[in-house]
Amino acid sequence: MATITVDGTEHEVDGRLTLFQALQSIGKEVPHFCFHERLSIAGNCRMCLVEVEKAPKPVASCAQPILDGMVVFTDSEKTIKARRGVMEFLLINHPLDCPICDQGGECDLQDQAMAYGHDRTRFEENKRAVHDKEMGPLVKTIMTRCIHCTRCIRFAEEVAGVEEIGALHRGEHMEIATYLERSLTSELSGNVIDLCPVGALTSKPYAFTARSWELRKTESVDVMDAVGSNIRVDSRGAEVMRVLPRLNDDINEEWISDKTRFACDGLKRQRLDRPYVRRDGELQPASWPEAFAAIAGRIAETGGAGMAAIAGDQADCEAMIALKDLFAACGSENIDCRQDGAKVDPSVRASYLFNSGIAGIDEADALLLIGANPRVEAAVLNARIRRRWRAGGFRIGQIGEPADLTYRTDRLGAGAETLAALARGDHGGDQGGGHGFAKVLEHAERPMLIVGPGVLAREDGAQMLGLARAAAERFGMVRDGWNGFNVLHTAASRVGGLDLGFAPGPGGRDTAAILDGAAAGEIGLVWLLGADEIDMDRLGGAFVVYQGHHGDAGAGRADVILPGAAYTEKSATYVNVEGRPQRTALAIFPPGDAREDWTIVRAFSEVAGHTLPYDSLAQVRARLADANPVFEAVDEIVPAEWRPFGDDASDAAPVSAPFRSPIENFYMTDPIGRCSETMAQCTQMRRSLDAGARTGTDG
């Protein structure tokens, strides 16, 4: 601790902080542009100048270490004059085009100019003009506005791990540009828009569509992956205009992925806005009573044993518990929320959670990636792994296909043989360096592993889960106060569905068995709750009910379509990968006759003669808590008990196929993304870059 005097008042502050951070900690507001608490210190905007006693000139507080006994003045005449001078220089070349700038109303430069700017300029020279740069379909550049704070450069290098932005030339000729004049390739590139303190980098899809004061702001949760990033949905009328991140240090800090941010334009395309019933081989518009009657009639013919339900990746917990209760009342145990066939054990919560918690990555000192590619499966989580790696003392071993994860890894092998060798302590035949990395894990105080979704979806997924558990136990990853066994999901609904028991009951069928039964004619009715990623051809002649919000694969195969609400159109509960229940909020209303999913199931239950015992959202959530107490602890993590799970693979010969990530296209993993024009442009951009890389050109 150190003692400093600020504006005549003595304060005790942490001596490890910079002067800027110390001033913030005691409530002093210091203007700044280049400083950001999650980026390295640049000290190049000079807006944070303060007067320090005995210093010959004002000091840049962001780069000034704390000295015991320091006397600082933040509002002296000398400080104010220095800041006014800096602001005058910043505005020499700024175009002052606020009326047409998308940053207007949210611009740091505007705010600081109000406080420290002059009402006229003393410079008569022409303003400098800079050519706009190409940064892809997401980021729009107006580089004449740039004040060279270098936040975007530091973010790309330090957080995103894609060193594609830099500063060219020097002095008044300096420009921020991409090195090869091509699109940014990071899955987090949109965050530079939030970081830019002026209007130099703005959202290209959002350009010239709305002003910030026109928007209704709703705090919500992202469902594009299983991380559960906290977001803010900005809407105008019946349309979502943009999605921005909310601060949550335990989950996404203040970053979101490009898919989270930009796929929102898919919410208004190819929407299901009324019920449909297939008549004479064609889907035709119908009323709700007609759709319900068609389903009820088929259920009466099929019976409970011939019914099945599969929940999709974006199904909310309220809808899943309602559908589970309905099928239980009908006498069916054929339900599953794992449409990819993941072989996790629903009865052992520790078998499917990211047990260390996302923030636990900061405490780990060694990591083993088992068939996981966090860069495309959980981009925000990958940024936290990279930050921990940059801090040092963090070795990362990788089993699986080669991939650029934005950090250095020790590649141990391609598949199950390497994992089996690590789990059993037999490294004699390991050609990938597993023995050396085993020593790293043995000497680590808090080692952790991450099992990727592609590993669990294999035919031998249960064996791989058992091997991963054996490896965790062998290397002491599970001990008092620490559980380093982590499963990475890509589906926002997965953990919530497993917590609710949306899985086969006694004698019930899982997803693979449901599809086999439908193909064989043993399953006569399949209810798809937003499930679009299964093989629709395997449904055979089954009567298919599709309940969802987009005209995707499931709707194309359906015999009855029940239009549901997207995540921005309902108050719903989702449980993220670490087991933290979170809630979305209704930002806009569903289009047309579409309704919130649990209300559809509740309304149909009356027609089916199995009326569900809840009529309000509060009652449904009480049912959630009754099904599993973890739903009572909203925004909190309930640790899972460690018990045996997974198949015993001690004598089994593992499948030789290498571990692979299930995600081939990061931008189109769900119906919303596949309907997004922006995501289509990103997909085309990535294919062009990949083709250019193969041919040796810039793409």
Side-chain angles (χ1 to χ4, degrees), residues 136-138 183 204-205 265 667-668 676-688:
L138 303 180
S183 302
K204 187 173 286 188
D265 65 324
Y667 301 104
M668 293 187 175
S676 166
E677 181 179 344
T678 304
M679 294 296 97
Q681 294 171 357
C682 289
T683 299
Q684 181 61 41
M685 173 269 296
R686 183 58 63 91
R687 288 173 178 168
S688 298

Side-chain angles (χ1 to χ4, degrees), residues 167-212:
L168 305 178
H169 315 305
R170 301 179 65 187
E172 67 173 343
H173 301 293
M174 177 178 171
E175 296 182 17
I176 305 298
T178 55
Y179 290 123
L180 299 177
E181 287 289 335
R182 69 175 193 180
S183 302
L184 301 178
T185 60
S186 170
E187 293 76 14
L188 300 169
S189 63
N191 290 287
V192 300
I193 297 168
D194 298 331
L195 287 172
C196 185
V198 295
L201 304 178
T202 59
S203 171
K204 187 173 286 188
Y206 176 72
F208 307 128
T209 58
R211 287 297 196 181
S212 60

